[in-house]
Every structure is written in C-alpha cells, then in structure tokens.
Amino acid sequence: MRSISAMRSLLCASSHTFLRSSGSTLRTPFFSLPFRPDLSCSKLGPARFVSAAAAKARIGGGGPVMDVRAAQSGEIHVIVGPMFAGKTTALLRRVHAEAGTGRTVALVKSDKDNRYGLDSVVTHDGTKMPCWALPELSSFQDKLGTEAYNKVDVIGIDEAQFFGDLHDFCCKAADRDGKIVVVAGLDGDYKRNKFGSVLDIIPLADSVTKLTARCELCGRRAFFTLRKTQETRTELIGGADVYMPVCRQHYSDGQIVIEAARIVMDREIHSDPRCEVSHC
Ligand SMILES: Nc1ncnc2c1ncn2[C@@H]1O[C@H](COP(=O)(O)OP(=O)(O)O)[C@@H](O)[C@H]1O
Ligand SMILES: Cc1cn([C@H]2C[C@H](O)[C@@H](COP(=O)(O)O)O2)c(=O)[nH]c1=O
Ligand SMILES: [Zn+2]
C-alpha cells in the first residue's frame, strides 16, 4: 500500500513540474491554410476542441499564464488503409480542423514521395497543404528549430510507411512533448506484408482508423493495393499508373495474372538468342 501511495505522490509531483516548466499561451496556426476542404464528413469524427479559455480553466486558470499545449497530454491517431482510401484527405481534414481551433499545426511527409513536388502534401484528387519533406522524423525538430517545435501543438505525418524512426518519434512527441500526432500511412505493401513501422505504433495509439477504397475492378470495398507492374522492390513511388485498389477476390485474381505475365515475360527474355543466362 505504501509503495502505491508513494508512486502516486511521485507522479503528481512530476506532472506539476511538467506544467510549470514551459512557456506561453495558445498560439495561432503555424501557417495559414490555403484550402477549404469539406469538413462535414470527416471519417475521424470531430477534432478535439479545447478553447484557450477552457484549457486555461482546466489547468487552474486565473493564475499565471501557462503553456496550454504542454499542460495537455499527447495523443496519437493512426489512419491506415490501401492506396486511394482517403488517408491523406482524412489527415488534411483533421489537421485543418485542429488549426481552426487555434492550435499550431505542422505537416510532415517523407521526402521519398516526390510525386507532386516536396513542398506540399497532395491528395489523389488534388487537395494540398504545405509541408516539410524530410528523410527521417528525427530531423523535424532541427529543421523547425527548438523554439518553433515547442510551439507546435499538432504534428501531421503523411506517408508514414517510409519513416524508419516513426515509433521513436511518435513516442517522444506524444509522451514527452505533449503533441497531438496524426499519422497516415499504408499498413501493408503490395504483397500485403506490413509496411515500414506503421503497425508498430498501433500499441501507442489513442485511435486507429482503417479506411477502404473502391475496388477498381468491381466497385466493392477495397482493402488492398495491387501493383500492376513487374517491379518487386517494396518501395516504389507511384500512383494510379502503378497501383490500384482492389477487393479480396480481385487481389487474389490480380496476383495470378501478374505472376502469369511474369512467367511469360521471363520465357520471352530467355528464348531471345541475345540472352546470356547459362541454362537458356
Ligand atoms: N482508383 C483510383 N484511382 C485514382 N484516384 C482515385 C481512385 N480511387 C479514389 N481516387 C481518388 O482519390 C481520393 C483519395 O485520395 P487520398 O486521400 O490521397 O488517398 P490515400 O492517401 O489513401 O491514397 C478519392 O477521394 C478519389 O477522388
Ligand atoms: C502499395 C505500395 C505503395 N508504395 C508507394 C506508392 C505511393 O508512392 C505510396 C502510397 O501513397 P498513398 O498516399 O497511400 O496513395 O507508397 C510502395 O512504395 N510500395 C507498395 O508496396
Ligand atoms: Zn473487386
């Protein structure tokens, strides 16, 4: 019993220290948002709203001004699904809604995704929002500078499957720094194997949303991404030219067709007199 109450006092003491340790009031958005997405049908539900006044009251308002963001505990929300499921759309809606409540937001994507340039996160239907394109998440704080990083309340991460340090970053940002982290990425690759570290952050998450697309072949719900080419490396940047969303049945059928095409192509290559493979 004594050890439980000792632990409670220790936890209380450390949370007070945390509250007092940092700066100023709720801030305006990190950047202004150049687009107006339709927020009415967000699949993530309403963004958590905490007005500056309400938040101050929650931490004993009326006293000295305290850092509203640091006073809140962090959160991690994960959005997964196949390509074309609306993951980026949901991420942008969420980040936009958070900015609308007066929170300071910042958006990050992997610099491997150069499909539409590096300065914006862009959905497949063209909605965009400025972002930081980074090789790894550990460079985020340095890139912003510590002062700007401390002011950020909400961090949106797109193309999360490409960040090797996703788990470490999310832990620190939410647990240590009190940030709301919204992560969008592919849970599985074209082979339906887990992709990068996206699944590793599920145990850290407050919420997990798995979105579905429409099967390009039959219009039913699509849970998987079919790669239409013969490329076998896991990471291959592309859009509708290379990938399509498919239902379970058309994923299996598609794999058979692609494998058959690969065999035919191999035969053609090896029957060519210029082929130098020894068994030909
Ligand atoms: N098979 C498809 N090919 C091209 N675009 C599609 C296809 N299916 C849906 N889309 C478009 O993609 C949008 C979703 O884009 P986005 O949010 O970028 O998805 P995700 O991030 O999950 O890949 C949909 O609203 C729709 O307009
Ligand atoms: C399935 C699969 C996808 N990729 C790449 C292709 C795109 O550049 C991104 C996913 O983008 P989206 O925003 O989810 O549409 O990932 C890959 O490299 N390997 C794969 O197996
Ligand atoms: Zn189908």
Side-chain angles (χ1 to χ4, degrees), residues 18 28 35-36 88 97 117 121-122 127 133 137 140-141 146 148 156 170 174 223-224 251 271:
F18 182 55
T28 49
F35 76 107
R36 291 275 171 277
T88 304
V121 164
V122 186
T127 303
L137 291 163
F140 180 62
Q141 192 166 344
T146 303
C170 289
F223 309 96
F224 313 115
Y251 180 83
S271 60

Side-chain angles (χ1 to χ4, degrees), residues 82-90 122-125 158-159 213-214 216 240 244-245:
M83 288 181 69
F84 310 103
K87 302 181 299 298
T88 304
T89 306
V122 186
T123 66
H124 287 294
D125 48 7
D158 200 22
E159 305 299 343
R214 285 274 148 220
E216 223 173 270
M244 63 182 187

